[in-house]
Amino acid sequence: MSNKNLLSVALGKEKADIVFKNGKIIDVFNERIIEEDLAISNGKIIGWGNYSGVKEIDLNGKYISPGFIDAHLHLESTMVSVEEFAKTVIPLGTLTIVADPHEIANVAGEIGVEYFLNLGKNLPWNFNLMIPSCVPVTPFDKSGAVLDALKIKEMLSKNQFFGLGEVMDFEGVINGQDYIWDKIELMQNYFIDGHAPKLNGKLLNAYLLAGIRADHETTTSQEALEKVSKGLYVMVREGSVTRDLESILPAINDSNVSYFLFATDDRHPEDLLSEGHINFMIKKAINLGMNPLRAIRLATINAAKALGINYLGAIAPGYQADLIIVDNLNELTIKEVYKDGILVAKDGKFLFSINSGNSPKPELVFNSIKIPKIKENDFHLPHGKTYRVMSLIKDQIVTKLDFFSPESELYEDELIKNGINKIAVVERYQKNGKIGLGLLKGFNLKSGAIASSIAHDSHNIIVIGSNSYDMKVAVEKISELHGGIVVTKDGNVLDFLPLPVGGLVSEEPIEYVSQKLKDLRKIVYDLGVKIQSPFMTLAFMGLPVVPELKITCEGLYDVVNHSFVSLVLE
């Protein structure tokens, strides 16, 4: 839309709709403060200077910042609805998100993606949804859908998407596999997000020939410097499990600062409530020694430029009036949030209405658990003298190969004594009806069972237990709930969190979900589990792209050698 009708306002011949008086404007281009009036009309920033407004707001020395941008996240990881997430993060200053819905896409394909799109596009933020690039993430598991190049082309013809979601299959890219390159070439005129953990040298060179623009899997300063030197934007990630801000910060200097931006990737309800969102990343960067204006720059104009979004991320003439009023630059307490010049949050409270009650509930999304009758002996180990074991490495989602040789037929008691649990993946999409069995060392569940319909990235039902009966009861409860997290003991359900939206997301308020997760965690700790993030750790045991050994509904998968292996060695 033309700004021609705003010229007289910019020239001071007409009053602006809103003028902020006595504020300190954050100039993210020059990392400086400007103390002038700020004029806004028609949801656009007119500029600063001596202006009069129909409405004038005295800021009494408070700071005016551009709205914050989260350059890469998965909404499903919040475990709450799109609307609930918006109600949480908009008052924290996040007014733009770029979301990759590959979790719901693995469950319900195009229908799941469109469900999220329809919920998010009518809220007071800039809602940018990617088309997932890797559904399924690997051909070695069974997910609920397949998004190939033909399906992506069809989706683009019906809805507006921001770009191609993180290209996780870097091996397929580097080896020139048509199934991934067909998608990349189709999306060449869009933003293409990356996923390049530890890629360097010639491998990184090859990966970047695909036109990939940014990466959120960088974990060290050295890695960041090489990626920036090759023109890649580095999304500094600070999620709930993977926190890279402190390790990457030393790589940022005056010469390369424009190539760094912020992203949360996966952030859970408890952390959103206790720490915050992008505002937390800014404060953490400041506490680690970064200049506050530079930290805000990473959260605003740097992200906008990297993503290729015009007229966003700065306070300048013609830009969207997405603004945050903060009390000071150290505590960064957000007082007010404006979207297109309209007040949408004040003192941590959202001021906009939510009209999700009448939204259709697609069958594929809300009835995604379809399993046959489960029997106790489905979780009995086959007879063997020696078994392969997935062994956890502390504070990591990778495993190493170990072995277990029972001394008697009472193998379940021996398993517990050796810190080993039975683990299984139950196929939930009526694709093959299989149940893959394995053993996991290091989880240390002494009694009972834990089941979850969150199991990256195919999200079949994953269950770990000390005995077959509790595993059966837990899986049956997951089916009854149409998805969730369940803890059982002695054949009884101790507690559960329903996740009816694709088996991934709750319909309850974020405070309820956060508290329920705390309750469940306390219960599993009482059952012997000691690891910090038990449910997230369990969810990643089914991801057959993370070394060394993982479990799928097809059985044990050797990630290093790209092949299935038997549970029984001999």
Side-chain angles (χ1 to χ4, degrees):
M1 183 180 294
S2 173
N3 290 330
K4 183 178 179 181
N5 62 327
L6 299 176
L7 292 174
S8 58
V9 180
L11 294 169
K13 295 177 180 179
E14 292 183 20
K15 287 187 175 183
D17 294 342
I18 302 171
V19 172
F20 290 104
K21 298 278 189 178
N22 299 318
K24 297 178 180 178
I25 302 165
I26 296 175
D27 173 8
V28 291
F29 298 111
N30 294 296
E31 298 182 15
R32 63 171 183 161
I33 299 297
I34 298 170
E35 297 192 35
E36 295 273 8
D37 298 340
L38 181 65
I40 297 168
S41 282
N42 286 10
K44 301 281 185 70
I45 294 169
I46 302 301
W48 56 83
N50 185 16
Y51 283 102
S52 297
V54 175
K55 181 179 182 180
E56 296 185 349
I57 301 172
D58 189 345
L59 293 181
N60 294 311
K62 297 184 183 69
Y63 292 83
I64 313 173
S65 169
F68 304 147
I69 300 171
D70 189 341
H72 171 84
L73 78 155
H74 303 288
L75 290 160
E76 302 94 323
S77 296
T78 70
M79 300 173 72
V80 295
S81 68
V82 177
E83 305 97 322
E84 192 68 20
F85 176 70
K87 285 160 54 177
T88 303
V89 302
I90 290 175
L92 299 176
T94 302
L95 286 171
T96 301
I97 68 167
V98 179
D100 183 349
H102 75 210
E103 313 295 356
I104 193 67
N106 269 288
V107 172
E110 178 186 7
I111 290 173
V113 174
E114 288 183 343
Y115 175 72
F116 273 28
L117 183 64
N118 291 331
L119 291 177
K121 66 184 180 181
N122 295 318
L123 295 164
W125 58 3
N126 305 301
F127 183 72
N128 303 293
L129 205 64
M130 308 288 274
I131 291 184
S133 68
C134 297
V135 178
V137 69
T138 168
F140 309 116
D141 202 1
K142 298 297 180 184
S143 63
V146 174
L147 297 185
D148 57 17
L150 287 175
K151 174 56 70 174
I152 288 175
K153 186 175 182 179
E154 178 187 335
M155 292 169 68
L156 287 171
S157 70
K158 294 190 293 185
N159 289 293
Q160 185 173 354
F161 292 95
F162 186 76
L164 186 65
E166 59 176 305
V167 182
M168 300 175 68
D169 188 1
F170 53 83
E171 288 189 352
V173 174
I174 292 166
N175 293 320
Q177 298 294 327
D178 288 341
Y179 66 84
I180 187 66
W181 272 93
D182 287 346
K183 300 175 189 178
I184 289 168
E185 290 170 348
L186 179 66
M187 302 291 290
Q188 277 298 302
N189 294 326
Y190 291 80
F191 177 80
I192 302 178
D193 201 1
H195 176 106
K198 302 188 185 307
L199 278 190
N200 58 18
K202 292 179 180 178
L203 294 177
L204 181 59
N205 295 344
Y207 184 70
L208 295 184
L209 287 178
I212 289 159
R213 297 273 305 278
D215 172 62
H216 61 275
E217 292 289 341
T218 305
T219 58
T220 68
S221 293
Q222 183 178 357
E223 187 179 355
L225 288 171
E226 180 183 359
K227 287 177 176 176
V228 167
S229 73
K230 294 181 176 179
L232 193 63
Y233 288 96
V234 171
M235 295 177 177
V236 182
R237 173 176 57 185
E238 191 75 7
S240 285
V241 176
T242 310
R243 297 175 180 252
D244 305 314
L245 193 154
E246 186 170 1
S247 62
I248 293 176
L249 220 57
I252 304 174
N253 57 53
D254 291 344
S255 298
N256 65 18
V257 61
S258 61
Y259 277 83
F260 291 86
L261 55 150
F262 286 148
T264 61
D265 196 13
D266 297 300
R267 200 144 179 82
H268 303 161
E270 295 151 281
D271 293 328
L272 285 170
L273 292 178
S274 64
E275 294 179 342
H277 195 233
I278 296 296
N279 65 316
F280 168 72
M281 295 190 69
I282 297 170
K283 287 189 283 187
K284 183 169 181 176
I286 293 169
N287 289 335
L288 290 169
M290 179 175 277
N291 181 292
L293 299 179
R294 176 157 292 184
I296 291 171
R297 174 178 171 176
L298 266 65
T300 56
I301 193 62
N302 279 17
K305 294 296 184 185
L307 296 165
I309 303 175
N310 295 324
Y311 302 109
L312 196 64
I315 300 173
Y319 278 62
Q320 288 179 209
D322 291 0
L323 304 170
I324 306 166
I325 311 300
V326 299
D327 55 356
N328 63 71
L329 296 183
N330 290 314
E331 297 176 4
L332 209 73
T333 302
I334 296 168
K335 307 304 291 183
E336 295 178 338
V337 181
Y338 291 82
K339 177 73 184 80
D340 298 322
I342 298 172
L343 183 66
V344 294
K346 185 178 176 66
D347 295 327
K349 305 294 183 183
F350 71 94
L351 302 177
F352 50 93
S353 59
I354 301 291
N355 298 311
S356 61
N358 298 323
S359 299
K361 293 187 174 184
E363 175 75 8
L364 271 180
V365 175
F366 284 85
N367 188 19
S368 63
I369 308 290
K370 298 175 181 177
I371 60 174
K373 184 176 178 59
I374 298 296
K375 304 180 294 296
E376 183 178 352
N377 62 12
D378 287 332
F379 304 106
H380 288 352
L381 294 180
H383 178 74
K385 295 181 179 179
T386 302
Y387 298 85
R388 286 184 172 89
V389 176
M390 303 156 53
S391 184
L392 278 173
I393 298 174
K394 186 178 180 181
D395 297 328
Q396 296 186 39
I397 60 174
V398 299
T399 63
K400 61 182 180 180
L401 173 63
D402 207 339
F403 302 96
F404 169 69
S405 298
E407 297 177 358
S408 70
E409 294 184 0
L410 299 174
Y411 66 85
E412 287 191 345
D413 290 339
E414 285 190 50
L415 289 173
I416 300 303
K417 289 179 182 177
N418 286 276
I420 300 172
N421 292 116
K422 293 191 289 185
I423 189 169
V425 172
V426 180
E427 192 274 317
R428 79 180 215 190
Y429 302 108
Q430 295 182 320
K431 295 295 178 71
N432 61 19
K434 292 184 178 180
I435 298 176
L437 284 176
L439 294 171
L440 181 66
K441 185 175 183 178
F443 203 85
N444 292 315
L445 184 66
K446 300 298 184 184
S447 60
I450 305 166
S452 174
S453 52
I454 302 174
H456 298 289
D457 272 333
S458 295
H459 299 295
N460 288 301
I461 299 172
I462 193 163
V463 57
I464 188 168
S466 65
N467 63 86
S468 298
Y469 186 65
D470 277 322
M471 294 171 76
K472 167 186 176 292
V473 173
V475 171
E476 287 176 335
K477 186 63 177 180
I478 292 282
S479 180
E480 176 190 326
L481 295 171
H482 299 291
I485 299 172
V486 174
V487 182
T488 60
K489 182 183 178 183
D490 298 331
N492 298 310
V493 175
L494 299 183
D495 205 351
F496 57 88
L497 170 63
L499 300 171
V501 184
L504 305 171
V505 171
S506 171
E507 293 187 290
E508 299 295 332
I510 190 170
E511 293 82 5
Y512 172 87
V513 178
S514 176
Q515 185 58 53
K516 184 59 71 172
L517 286 169
K518 290 177 184 176
D519 294 343
L520 286 165
R521 189 178 296 109
K522 183 180 184 306
I523 291 172
V524 301
Y525 286 166
D526 289 343
L527 295 178
V529 177
K530 301 301 181 186
I531 55 179
Q532 186 175 2
S533 302
F535 308 121
M536 180 59 70
T537 300
L538 180 61
F540 277 106
M541 292 304 100
L543 183 58
V545 294
V546 178
E548 170 176 2
L549 196 63
K550 287 294 187 287
I551 179 72
T552 79
C553 63
E554 301 276 1
L556 282 178
Y557 187 74
D558 183 335
V559 181
V560 176
N561 295 304
H562 307 288
S563 62
F564 284 98
V565 295
S566 65
L567 174 60
V568 177
L569 192 65
E570 60 175 331

